[in-house]
Amino acid sequence: MDIVLTGDRPTGRLHVGHYVGSLKRRVEMQNSGAYDKMYVMIADAQALSDNADNIDKVKNSISEVMLDYLACGLDPKKVTIFIQSEVPELCELSFYYMNLVTLSRLERNPTVKNEIALRGFKQSIPVGFLTYPISQTADITAFKANLVPVGEDQLPMLEQAREIVRSFNTLYAPVLVEPKAVLPSNEKCSRLPGLDGANKMSKSLGNCIFLAYSADEVKQKVMSMFTDPTHLRVEDKGHTEGNPVFIYLDAFATDEHFSAFLPEYQNLSELKAHYERGGLGDMKVKKFLNQVLEAEFGPIRERRQQFAKDLPVPELLNILHQGSIEARKTAAQTLDEVKTAMGINYHK
Ligand code: ATP
Ligand code: MG
């Protein structure tokens, strides 16, 4: 039995990092039909853990994320797309799981540590933020998901989830399923860097190419991208390692893109070799990257615009509400099994 669950925090629109890191795989899985059930969650409650003072941002991002999903090809008829806060059973599960995790274990989670530093929380970490790996475990286990398509930043969350599942199953009864991360097959896609060269493109860092960007916006972002700071003149030798322009090409460019837009090179290895020996300017590489991105994301942008016209916000929310009603049934069933396993289903 393969059950798939993933989600996104509605802290803004989705970007090309989300696409290659997770969304693309979800759509492929959906279309292959090689799974028994698939859930996609818009994690509004988790988004509030570092946005308690910014409810509007989270609220408005729910429909934006839904438009991104539809544009990328997720189909609410095939997968259950729902809103986290509309499934209150998830809170109840988290409440019991909290007793299975120590504070020091949470504080050691490298992704949470990094996110705390980035957000500058210092000593004022919201408890909900520190504990979000626990609530994420509830999200995954409530649906007995065994496959979770995610980017690399989520590996520590999955490790934490497996630990909680093992503790629960050992202490009470084996009702929970250990989840496994499904990373992108192209390693460069598991953590796409930001436009600024920061180690992750992230909504919260403002270094993104959003799926909703116009062709002009994408071009302007690409042309102003950080490259190799030692590559000052065209004839200088350049570095491709750690250079975000080349990392993006690793993530997106195919040999077909070369024959269509840059036929003087057969493939990326040839382009890299030229850059490294000198004589290839950044502008030419960026122009090619922009064409590659347009080929991949132009159709997504157009579908997004069409969906935005056809489905006003209340309709988008209504699709999500229907999904949430369905998701809730499964979560309630798991909660019931969890309480029985713990021996706290007193009136049964
Ligand atoms: P926030 O800054 O609010 O945390 P985010 O951009 O990190 O936003 P999330 O909603 O936390 O986005 O992540 C959603 C999914 O996208 C996760 O599976 C995550 O691993 C993946 N993901 C996020 N950023 C990237 C990236 N730069 N490269 C690859 N995958 C990514
Ligand atoms: Mg994140």
Side-chain angles (χ1 to χ4, degrees):
M1 184 91 160
D2 277 333
I3 301 181
V4 186
L5 179 131
T6 43
D8 303 275
R9 294 156 36 97
T11 47
R13 295 169 297 176
L14 298 185
H15 54 64
V16 298
H18 296 122
Y19 183 74
V20 287
S22 169
L23 267 168
K24 193 173 174 181
R25 178 60 72 91
R26 294 182 216 176
V27 175
E28 283 164 8
M29 284 174 124
Q30 166 194 280
N31 294 340
S32 76
Y35 63 92
D36 296 280
K37 187 87 192 128
M38 184 161 161
Y39 297 90
V40 177
M41 181 185 81
I42 300 187
D44 63 332
Q46 189 190 115
L48 289 176
S49 68
D50 55 335
N51 287 287
D53 55 351
N54 212 342
I55 302 275
D56 280 348
K57 174 169 99 180
V58 173
K59 198 158 103 183
N60 298 332
S61 298
I62 293 177
S63 47
E64 295 285 347
V65 169
M66 183 59 174
L67 280 176
D68 289 321
Y69 285 168
L70 296 171
C72 290
L74 283 180
D75 179 353
K77 291 199 190 73
K78 295 184 184 149
V79 303
T80 305
I81 312 180
F82 68 98
I83 301 179
Q84 185 183 25
S85 68
E86 293 196 354
V87 183
E89 286 76 9
L90 300 175
C91 301
E92 232 175 304
L93 285 172
S94 306
F95 199 64
Y96 300 125
Y97 296 170
M98 279 190 187
N99 306 326
L100 307 176
V101 184
T102 63
L103 185 57
S104 65
R105 175 65 183 88
L106 285 172
E107 285 169 343
R108 273 204 315 274
N109 183 313
T111 299
V112 176
K113 243 174 153 169
N114 185 25
E115 290 177 342
I116 285 171
L118 284 176
R119 284 160 178 76
F121 284 143
K122 298 204 171 82
Q123 292 312 304
S124 317
I125 309 164
V127 173
F129 191 81
L130 191 65
T131 59
Y132 91 71
I134 302 177
S135 101
Q136 207 164 307
T137 304
D139 305 332
I140 299 167
T141 56
F143 301 95
K144 304 208 170 150
N146 59 327
L147 300 177
V148 186
V150 281
E152 190 188 59
D153 62 304
Q154 290 299 310
L155 291 180
M157 306 301 159
L158 269 294
E159 190 50 44
Q160 179 112 55
R162 280 193 293 274
E163 282 174 31
I164 294 175
V165 168
R166 284 198 284 269
S167 301
F168 185 96
N169 287 351
T170 311
L171 201 54
Y172 305 116
V175 297
L176 301 180
V177 175
E178 279 191 43
K180 200 171 76 191
V182 183
L183 289 177
S185 40
N186 176 347
E187 181 207 337
K188 298 286 184 208
C189 297
S190 4
R191 182 188 289 265
L192 198 75
L195 287 163
D196 54 356
N199 81 355
K200 185 175 170 302
M201 183 180 283
S202 166
K203 299 181 219 105
S204 304
L205 295 177
N207 56 8
C208 307
I209 298 179
F210 291 105
L211 297 175
Y213 268 169
S214 68
D216 281 348
E217 281 171 308
V218 175
K219 187 168 180 197
Q220 189 248 319
K221 293 284 175 189
V222 169
M223 292 305 171
S224 57
M225 258 177 96
F226 176 89
T227 59
D228 171 8
T230 65
H231 186 247
L232 298 173
R233 288 164 308 174
V234 174
E235 58 272 25
D236 289 344
K237 289 185 174 167
H239 297 87
T240 54
E241 200 61 32
N243 179 335
V245 174
F246 280 93
I247 299 176
Y248 285 16
L249 287 175
D250 273 323
F252 300 107
T254 61
D255 293 353
E256 290 73 50
H257 290 137
F258 277 94
S259 37
F261 309 125
L262 205 56
E264 53 203 278
Y265 304 90
Q266 291 218 333
N267 52 39
L268 189 52
S269 313
E270 283 186 10
L271 187 76
K272 281 184 179 174
H274 192 183
Y275 192 81
E276 281 164 8
R277 70 174 178 267
L280 174 60
D282 283 322
M283 272 309 161
K284 185 161 175 179
V285 186
K286 285 180 170 178
K287 200 169 151 233
F288 174 58
L289 174 60
N290 183 54
Q291 287 171 306
V292 169
L293 291 176
E294 188 52 30
E296 181 95 17
F297 296 105
I300 292 180
R301 177 195 313 124
E302 276 166 31
R303 279 202 299 274
R304 198 184 192 281
Q305 285 166 351
Q306 193 58 45
F307 277 115
K309 263 194 221 134
D310 296 347
L311 296 171
V313 172
E315 284 195 41
L316 291 169
L317 293 179
N318 186 41
I319 301 174
L320 288 168
H321 187 54
Q322 298 311 317
S324 305
I325 293 172
E326 197 188 319
R328 209 177 160 185
K329 287 184 201 145
T330 310
Q333 168 69 30
T334 303
L335 177 63
D336 193 56
E337 288 172 37
V338 158
K339 290 177 82 173
T340 303
M342 292 172 71
I344 57 169
N345 239 343
Y346 305 119
H347 308 291
K348 266 206 155 179

